Amino acid sequence: SQQGEEDPQALSIQEGENATMNCSYKTSINNLQWYRQNSGRGLVHLILIRSNEREKHSGRLRVTLDTSKKSSSLLITASRAADTASYFCATVFQGAQKLVFGQGTRLTINP
Amino acid sequence: DVKVTQSSRYLVKRTGEKVFLECVQDMDHENMFWYRQDPGLGLRLIYFSYDVKMKEKGDIPEGYSVSREKKERFSLILESASTNQTSMYLCASSAPYLGTDTQYFGPGTRLTVL
């Protein structure tokens, strides 16, 4: 399967702490994207990192990409209760327009 | 902002019924997608479309068909609903001309087949 894998499957932290989620994939990619899904809702795009980029920032989000290890991480700094959601990585493989989603990390921020 | 709407948030149908799930996007996107999401299985692609009247099978097309008669509308059809099609169905669209493959999702339809 080309599906990415996220780690951990679930993460519970205190408000204000940083949250780190990891994603691994198997084949060469064009880009890797992170999405958030609030309970029972659709997915919302957070950030995209291209295969020739190593790090990208957007507000409290920091994404890294290591193509040699075929892995990416998403860091959310200074977490808030509103960050409670599931987070998915999605990869676009070379030559394709489809996204392949991982199974997600369920993040819970405790007040 | 891109808006993707789905015809129903919740739907309950009986086994054997024909079910239509509608998806509409308002940003003139070429690509549209249908996924189902199940606990432990993540998002799985059912069908996608690159243009009007074009369709491509995804990873799990069995038991489903699609229709794209207009650019903004992509319909998922369950010809004869079965209980194993109880799931959350998500529609998405994207615009390759923007240079990314970012997908914009609708709110989802939670379908229960009794």
Side-chain angles (χ1 to χ4, degrees):
Chain A
S1 169
Q2 294 178 320
Q3 192 176 41
E5 296 181 2
E6 278 116 338
D7 170 57
Q9 291 187 346
L11 179 61
S12 181
I13 61 173
Q14 296 300 121
E15 194 166 17
E17 293 180 341
N18 296 342
T20 300
M21 289 157 272
N22 303 295
C23 171
S24 61
Y25 56 91
K26 296 179 181 178
T27 60
S28 297
I29 60 171
N30 284 339
N31 64 65
L32 185 144
Q33 303 177 32
W34 286 90
Y35 289 78
R36 183 188 72 227
Q37 183 181 34
N38 291 93
S39 182
R41 307 293 296 183
L43 279 71
V44 175
H45 178 257
L46 294 176
I47 195 167
L48 178 151
I49 187 165
R50 300 188 187 280
S51 59
N52 61 353
E53 297 175 312
R54 292 296 167 258
E55 188 171 312
K56 205 161 183 180
H57 297 255
S58 177
R60 293 185 296 113
L61 305 180
R62 173 178 168 252
V63 171
T64 61
L65 179 65
D66 186 335
T67 51
S68 66
K69 294 182 179 178
K70 293 186 170 57
S71 67
S72 173
S73 67
L74 171 67
L75 169 67
I76 303 174
T77 59
S79 63
R80 305 167 182 169
D83 295 327
T84 293
S86 292
Y87 292 81
F88 294 86
C89 70
T91 47
V92 179
F93 296 99
Q94 291 177 352
Q97 290 188 41
K98 299 184 295 181
L99 288 178
V100 178
F101 287 86
Q103 294 195 18
T105 293
R106 174 71 190 164
L107 175 64
T108 302
I109 307 299
N110 301 304
Chain B
D1 281 352
V2 176
K3 189 161 186 182
V4 181
T5 57
Q6 295 183 230
S7 50
S8 305
R9 288 283 288 124
Y10 300 94
L11 205 54
V12 180
K13 295 291 182 181
R14 298 216 172 265
T15 302
E17 281 193 76
K18 190 169 187 176
V19 182
F20 292 87
L21 302 182
E22 303 285 338
C23 176
V24 178
Q25 50 93 4
D26 67 355
M27 284 301 292
D28 204 35
H29 285 178
E30 286 88 357
N31 297 352
M32 296 189 74
F33 306 83
W34 274 107
Y35 297 89
R36 64 176 284 176
Q37 183 178 26
D38 301 286
L41 297 176
L43 274 79
R44 292 180 293 168
L45 182 64
I46 304 171
Y47 266 98
F48 59 103
S49 170
Y50 290 143
D51 202 349
V52 175
K53 296 192 185 296
M54 293 182 65
K55 59 185 178 184
E56 298 278 347
K57 292 181 180 179
D59 300 319
I60 51 163
E62 296 78 19
Y64 303 94
S65 62
V66 290
S67 172
R68 194 164 180 203
E69 296 297 318
K70 294 185 177 181
K71 192 174 186 178
E72 67 270 21
R73 188 180 298 269
F74 193 35
S75 302
L76 180 69
I77 303 155
L78 287 66
E79 294 289 342
S80 178
S82 63
T83 55
N84 63 13
Q85 292 179 310
T86 291
S87 186
M88 170 72 109
Y89 289 88
L90 293 164
C91 174
S93 70
S94 70
Y97 68 84
L98 293 175
T100 75
D101 305 287
T102 298
Q103 292 189 12
Y104 298 86
F105 283 81
T109 295
R110 188 167 293 281
L111 172 67
T112 302
V113 182
L114 302 175

